[in-house]
Every structure is written in C-alpha cells, then in structure tokens.
Amino acid sequence: GNSVTQMEGPVTLSEEAFLTINCTYTATGYPSLFWYVQYPGEGLQLLLKATKADDKGSNKGFEATYRKETTSFHLEKGSVQVSDSAVYFCALTPLTGGFKTIFGAGTRLFVKA
Amino acid sequence: GAVVSQHPSRVICKSGTSVKIECRSLDFQATTMFWYRQFPKQSLMLMATSNEGSKATYEQGVEKDKFLINHASLTLSTLTVTSAHPEDSSFYICSAMRRGDPYEQYFGPGTRLTVT
C-alpha cells in the first residue's frame, strides 16, 4: 500500500543553520507529493508540492525535489529562522483510491536564536 | 483563492452532548471533503471521505454512528460528534478538494474539541 516515512524529530537547529528533513514514500504510479507545515494550535498549511518526477517544489526558501529513483522528497532550507519552528508533514496523494492523502508522522523543528 | 474555513475553532462540551463542526470552502466548489483527527503530537488520521450528495465513506475503525458526516452542498460539509465522551477530545481538521483539481487538498484551520 501507500505510505510515507519521514525522519523522527524533534530536530533542533540554531538560526541560520541548514535544514534537511528526510522523506521517503511507497506508492504505485506517480503520486503527487507535498510538504505541509503546522504551527502550534493551527491547521495545516501547504508549504510546497511536486506532481511529477524531477519536479522541484519551492516556497519561502524551502525546497524539495521529487526523486522517483530513490522514492524521496526531502525538504531543505539553506538558512532557518526562529519563525520556522513548527511541525512539518510530508504527504502523498495517489492517483487512484479516492485521492486519499497519506501523511508522514511529522517532524518537529525547533530553531534557537 | 482556495480558502477553507471551519467553525467553531474551539468548543467545549459536556459528556453525552453532541457537537457539530462545519467545514466550508469559501471560494470554490468542493466535490470531496475529508475529515481528519489529530491527537497531540501525532499525525493526521483520516476519518472519512465526504462526497457531495452521497453518503460518507468511513475509514476502518471509525464509528459512523458516532461521527455523522453530511455533505449537503458543494461548499459545506458537517461533522457531528454524537454523545461525546472525553476520549473524543481532539483536534479535528477538514480539507476540501477542488472540482477539477484532484491532487491537492486545501485544509481548514481545525477545530479543538474538549469534552468534559
């Protein structure tokens, strides 16, 4: 079946450090891939997405590339800020099966000043 | 565009009462809406898929008689938690899929339910 595995947190970084949050997936065909961010007490916000192999999604300095060969969609940011502290969810939406989105467990990021 | 609202944002109710949560797509027609439940520090758990004009499809282990879902129009779906108990306390999030764009969901801000 479809699944998403992302690195366990929490991840603690100093401001301006480089961020990588690993995400790998299992799916048939070519699902759409997403990163969502959740700030404390809030719902999910779409951070970026990619819909086909080799696509790069980017937003607010975050990037992720859809790697079919490694079934990965790792999230990166060159220089994190305190305001990036949140929980990040990797997710996929398959092309079949009612378009049910599958979420990873979430990775909590703490950025220290 | 593609804004989804939820109402209420927070609700506290007593055990045994029922609570209704609304999910609205404000500027688009949503052929499908999804309801999720999120426990503290955990991921989202899909509860059910709601299609306009038809019965909701519930995920395994979700009691359909306890969590009543109605998708009355292309912009509104409701989740009613019936005979609520403290273990139903959770963060409930809806999402909507826009007509013609099945690969992206737009999420509401969530509803925090506390049952006392």
Side-chain angles (χ1 to χ4, degrees):
Chain A
N2 300 318
S3 67
V4 175
T5 303
Q6 62 182 104
M7 64 187 288
E8 288 189 26
V11 173
T12 303
L13 296 173
S14 296
E15 208 165 22
E16 299 184 1
F18 186 87
L19 168 70
T20 299
I21 301 178
N22 290 335
C23 171
T24 57
Y25 68 91
T26 302
T28 53
Y30 291 84
S32 291
L33 302 176
F34 304 87
W35 277 100
Y36 289 93
V37 59
Q38 185 177 34
Y39 298 100
E42 298 183 11
L44 268 66
Q45 299 177 27
L46 177 65
L47 182 59
L48 53 85
K49 68 177 180 180
T51 58
K52 60 183 186 295
D54 299 325
D55 263 4
K56 177 186 282 188
S58 62
N59 185 26
K60 300 180 182 179
F62 291 90
E63 293 183 340
T65 301
Y66 191 143
R67 300 287 188 201
K68 181 66 176 176
E69 64 276 12
T70 54
T71 61
S72 64
F73 194 54
H74 305 320
L75 182 68
E76 297 182 336
K77 186 174 185 182
S79 176
V80 293
Q81 306 300 312
V82 172
S83 57
D84 294 327
S85 298
V87 180
Y88 293 82
F89 292 95
C90 185
L92 71 83
T93 299
L95 300 181
T96 58
F99 304 106
K100 296 180 184 178
T101 297
I102 309 298
F103 289 88
T107 302
R108 186 173 297 273
L109 171 66
F110 293 105
V111 180
K112 303 179 297 184
Chain B
V3 178
V4 175
S5 69
Q6 277 185 245
H7 178 78
S9 57
R10 292 177 178 271
V11 57
I12 301 173
C13 70
K14 294 185 183 298
S15 276
T17 61
S18 295
V19 175
K20 180 184 285 188
I21 302 170
E22 293 186 348
C23 176
R24 292 182 185 274
S25 57
L26 298 185
D27 51 2
F28 66 98
Q29 292 185 332
T31 50
T32 302
M33 290 183 170
F34 300 91
W35 286 96
Y36 297 86
R37 184 173 181 177
Q38 186 180 32
F39 293 100
K41 298 186 179 182
Q42 293 190 25
S43 190
L44 279 70
M45 181 191 80
L46 179 64
M47 299 175 66
T49 303
S50 166
N51 291 298
E52 186 264 340
S54 63
K55 289 185 177 180
T57 303
Y58 291 82
E59 295 301 300
Q60 191 172 8
V62 177
E63 299 176 60
K64 61 181 181 181
D65 293 332
K66 179 165 190 61
F67 298 100
L68 300 179
I69 291 172
N70 187 322
H71 195 151
S73 75
L74 284 171
T75 59
L76 173 65
S77 176
T78 59
L79 167 67
T80 301
V81 183
T82 62
S83 186
H85 291 284
E87 58 266 29
D88 298 324
S89 298
S90 192
F91 195 51
Y92 292 88
I93 302 175
C94 73
S95 69
M97 190 175 285
R98 186 162 49 183
R99 182 195 292 271
D101 180 11
Y103 305 122
E104 182 169 346
Q105 295 182 34
Y106 301 92
F107 285 83
T111 297
R112 173 77 58 195
L113 170 63
T114 303
V115 184
T116 60

